Amino acid sequence: KQEVTQIPAALSVPEGENLVLNCSFTDSAIYNLQWFRQDPGKGLTSLLLIQSSQREQTSGRLNASLDKSSGRSTLYIAASQPGDSATYLCAVGPLFSGNTGKLIFGQGTTLQVKP
Amino acid sequence: DTGVSQDPRHKITKRGQNVTFRCDPISEHNRLYWYRQTLGQGPEFLTYFQNEAQLEKSRLLSDRFSAERPKGSFSTLEIQRTEQGDSAMYLCASSLGPSANTGELFFGEGSRLTVL
């Protein structure tokens, strides 16, 4: 059974710092991996999607990497800003599910960026 | 608005009542998903549709839950005889069909259910 873990559960950093959020998964047979952002009481915003054949994806100050063999993904945020404060969720699409969109989520890392 | 739309955003009901949530997906997306998220947890898959066909249901979806997508456009999720354990955020998402689908999901703002 695929399990997704995100550590730490919460993180507080000063503005301007570069930071890394971690995601690990137990089964390397994945179709894709997606990072989301969630503001309090809101829905999920897609940040980056990495297909199983890719090693990384970049969007602006965000860079996500994928290492299937070790069951890890990282989300790198450069030059953090207070507006980056949110919960970041990692979700894995199992290979057996194909592109059905049946994702397995971690519990998230809640990030606070202090001015 | 071209995003996924959900209604209502918040519903408070008494135990035993029925509630219905509506989701309007992104217009060109023919796949639609329902997820449930409880406080402090990641979302959990409930069910998904391709056009009007419901292709998969999670074991989390008890007999009191029913989802429909009659014309392959909007979807409804009904919960009958609500229980306090049903209190959660119900999230809808959509994606492109299988021929063009990278598997990327786009979520709505969610419908928060509080059962008293």
Side-chain angles (χ1 to χ4, degrees), chain A residues 83-94:
Chain A
D84 294 330
S85 298
T87 296
Y88 291 81
L89 291 155
C90 165
V92 166

Side-chain angles (χ1 to χ4, degrees), chain A residues 16-71:
Chain A
E17 192 163 297
N18 301 326
L19 58 100
V20 173
L21 305 181
N22 296 298
C23 171
S24 62
F25 46 95
T26 55
D27 187 345
S28 62
I30 67 170
Y31 184 81
N32 58 22
L33 185 145
Q34 205 167 344
W35 282 93
F36 295 91
R37 168 186 172 138
Q38 186 172 35
D39 293 295
K42 303 287 188 178
L44 279 63
T45 300
S46 177
L47 296 175
L48 290 164
L49 170 71
I50 310 178
Q51 300 295 343
S52 62
S53 58
Q54 298 173 323
R55 293 298 299 259
E56 66 177 341
Q57 284 287 336
T58 298
S59 176
R61 294 183 294 109
L62 305 179
N63 176 277
S65 67
L66 174 64
D67 184 345
K68 279 196 310 179
S69 61
S70 65

Side-chain angles (χ1 to χ4, degrees), chain B residues 61-81:
Chain B
L61 216 61
S62 75
D63 291 344
R64 296 184 297 104
F65 289 70
S66 63
E68 295 182 343
R69 195 183 183 199
K71 297 182 180 179
S73 56
F74 73 91
S75 175
T76 58
L77 176 68
E78 181 184 17
I79 308 174
Q80 296 182 325
R81 305 181 304 280

